[in-house]
Amino acid sequence: MSTSASSPRPRVALAGTSGFIGAALCEALGDRFDLRILTRSLTRTPPRPQDEVRSCDHFSRLELARALEGVDYAVYLVHNRDPSARLDQAQSRDMDLLVADNFAWAAARNGVRQLLCRAPLMAASERPTGRDALEREEVLASHGVPLTVLRTGLVVGPGGELARLLVHMVQSLPRIPLPHLATNEVRPLTLEALLRAFQHCVGRPDTFGGSFDIFGPEPTSLRRMLEDTAELLGHPIHFTPWQDLPQGAFATLLKRLNPELHPVFLTYLLDMFSAESHGEANAVQQAVTREWTPLKQCLERSLQQSLQAVEGEAAGSQRTQDDETIRQLGRVRSIQRLRLPQGRNAEWVAERYFPWLGALMSLFVTTERDPDGSWTVRMRLTRLRLLRLDFKPTHSTPDRRMYFITGGALAHMLGGRTARLEFRDLPGGRFTLFAIHDFNPALPWFFYRYTQAVIHGLVMKGFQGHMEQAAEGGPML
C-alpha cells in the first residue's frame, strides 16, 4: 500500500465531487483517509482545509496518471453533463466512457488497489440508463484494478436535484399530469445510507470486485413523494392521471418547468421509476440500512435546503466562473462512436480514415501520409496546408492511435495544451471512439461555429456510415 510520506493513513482520490453525493462523500471519508479531490475546475477550493485539490483534465491520461500518484483507493463519480469545451460535439455517454477509460488506465499504472463507482439499480437491458452504466463499468474494470460497484436507486438527500424538481412540480403546476410510471414503486436510498455504503466498502478486500444492490426498506412512488412534498410545504396538490403519457413528453414538461435540469438527469430519473427495480438483499445492503432515517424526514431536510438560495448561488457562482473560463479558452471537443468490423481495431480505423477523407473531399483537399505515419491535409489547388497531424508512437498502441495537431491554417496554436486527435477502442472490440481534444480553431468563433464545425459534424456522420457499412461486411478501403 502506497501512502503519503507525511501521513500513515491511506490516500483516497475522489473524482466527480461537484454533485451533492460527491461533496458529502468528502466529509464522510475524511475521518479515515487522506483525500485528494480531482477536478477540472480551476477555481475549486478544498471542502476541508486538510484536503488536497488537484486540477486536471480528465480527458488526458497523463494528467490523470500524475493526479493518481500515491493513491491507494479511488472513487469514480464522474458524469460529463457540464461543458468541457466551448463547443462539445459529443454525447455525454461517450465522454463518460473515454474519461472512465483514462481513469482506469491511470489507476492501474499507479497500482491503485481498488476503484469504486455508483451505478443505477436496474437491469442493463431495460433502459438506456442501465445500458450506459454497464458499458461504463466494463470500461472501469478493463485495466485490471478491482472494481466495487454500488447499485442504488434514487438517492434522497440535501442538495439533490430530485428535491428541487419536486418543489417546482408542486408549486408551479395547478394540476400535475401523472403517467403510469408515477405509480410504480421504488426503494430510494437516503444520502446517509449511501455514504455508509462507501465507508463500508473503501479499502475492504472482501468487497473488491463485487457488485452490491443498495436500497432502502421503504417503498414509495413519484406520486407519493409529490404528496409528501405538498404536505411538507403546506401547498395544495391536484393530479390528472394520464396513463398513456409518453415518457419523452413527460420529460419535456419537466424540463420546461425547470430549465436548469439536465436532460441526462431527467432520463435517469424517469428510467428509475419506469424500471421498478427493487434489488437483492446482501451483506453490504443490510449493514448500511440497519440505521435508517425515514424517507419523509430525509425529504423534509432536502426540501428545506432546496428552498434556500444562498448555497445554490455559491455553487452557481463557481460554475459560472468555470464556464466563463472555458468560453474564453475557445476550445473544441468532438467525440463520435464508430462501430468496428469484427477483428479490427483503432489502428485499422485510423489508417483508413485519412484516405477516406481525401476521397470524400477530393475536389477540395488532399490527404498525404508521411513514412512515420503522420498526415497532412492540404487544399488541392493552392497546396495550402490546412492541418498537420503528427503521429505519436509513444502514446499509441494497436487499440489506441494518437496524433497531435501541430499546425495548419485551420488550427490556431496558442501554446499550453496541445490539440490532439485519437482513435480509442472500447473493451469488447465493438466500438472505437474518434476524439478531438483542445482544438483551437483559427477562424473567428462565429464563422467556425457555422462553417467548419458543421462540416466536421457532417464528415463524421459520413465516416460513421462508412464504418457501419464495413461492420456489416460492405466494401472497405
Side-chain angles (χ1 to χ4, degrees), residues 214-241:
I214 313 293
F215 52 91
E218 294 182 70
T220 189
S221 65
L222 178 57
R223 176 174 182 141
R224 202 170 308 154
M225 295 179 81
L226 287 166
E227 290 172 338
D228 289 342
T229 300
E231 180 183 340
L232 291 168
L233 295 178
H235 197 286
I237 189 170
H238 304 282
F239 297 116
T240 299

Side-chain angles (χ1 to χ4, degrees), residues 257-331:
L257 189 65
N258 188 355
E260 294 182 0
L261 285 175
H262 197 283
V264 173
F265 169 74
L266 282 177
T267 300
Y268 164 80
L269 176 70
L270 300 182
D271 278 354
M272 295 304 296
F273 280 114
S274 298
E276 208 172 6
S277 300
H278 297 289
E280 297 182 4
N282 57 79
V284 176
Q285 186 270 335
Q286 293 170 356
V288 302
T289 58
R290 193 171 292 124
E291 299 178 11
W292 179 252
T293 302
L295 272 178
K296 193 170 183 179
Q297 181 179 333
C298 187
L299 180 61
E300 182 176 15
R301 293 204 301 264
S302 303
L303 296 177
Q304 289 173 350
Q305 180 162 330
S306 71
L307 294 172
Q308 296 172 357
V310 175
E311 293 184 18
E313 288 174 359
S317 176
Q318 178 180 310
R319 178 166 296 178
T320 299
Q321 188 173 351
D322 290 338
D323 290 346
E324 177 60 20
T325 300
I326 289 173
R327 192 196 69 79
Q328 291 178 356
L329 290 173
R331 291 171 179 156

Side-chain angles (χ1 to χ4, degrees), residues 22-183:
L25 191 57
C26 294
E27 293 289 338
L29 295 180
D31 290 341
R32 291 174 49 207
F33 303 100
D34 290 333
L35 301 185
R36 180 178 294 166
I37 314 301
L38 309 185
T39 176
R40 71 168 177 86
S41 172
L42 300 176
T43 61
R44 179 73 185 271
T45 56
R48 306 177 313 151
Q50 62 268 41
D51 295 336
E52 178 187 5
V53 173
R54 289 278 187 97
S55 177
C56 67
D57 177 9
H58 290 0
F59 289 93
S60 168
R61 275 186 170 187
L62 294 182
E63 285 196 30
L64 275 174
R66 288 193 290 268
L68 289 176
E69 289 177 355
V71 165
D72 302 292
Y73 315 111
V75 179
Y76 183 86
L77 297 174
V78 176
H79 291 290
N80 291 280
R81 301 192 325 199
D82 295 328
S84 63
R86 185 170 182 179
L87 176 63
D88 283 315
Q89 293 179 294
Q91 295 187 34
S92 293
R93 66 169 188 159
D94 292 333
M95 289 194 287
D96 281 349
L97 291 184
L98 198 147
V99 170
D101 188 56
N102 287 345
F103 195 86
W105 177 87
R109 179 168 175 164
N110 282 288
V112 174
R113 300 178 62 197
Q114 179 193 25
L115 290 180
L116 299 95
C117 73
R118 173 180 168 243
L121 179 58
M122 61 172 64
S125 60
E126 287 179 339
R127 299 283 168 180
T129 297
R131 291 195 295 270
D132 293 348
L134 188 62
E135 282 187 328
R136 191 162 54 248
E137 292 169 40
E138 186 178 6
V139 168
L140 285 170
S142 65
H143 292 276
V145 180
L147 177 67
T148 301
V149 182
L150 301 179
R151 301 191 184 280
T152 74
L154 298 173
V155 177
V156 181
E161 292 178 286
L162 176 60
R164 291 196 293 273
L165 177 60
L166 293 172
V167 169
H168 276 284
M169 292 179 71
V170 168
Q171 292 185 335
S172 303
L173 293 175
R175 300 194 70 87
I176 301 177
L178 289 185
H180 176 71
L181 63 85
T183 60

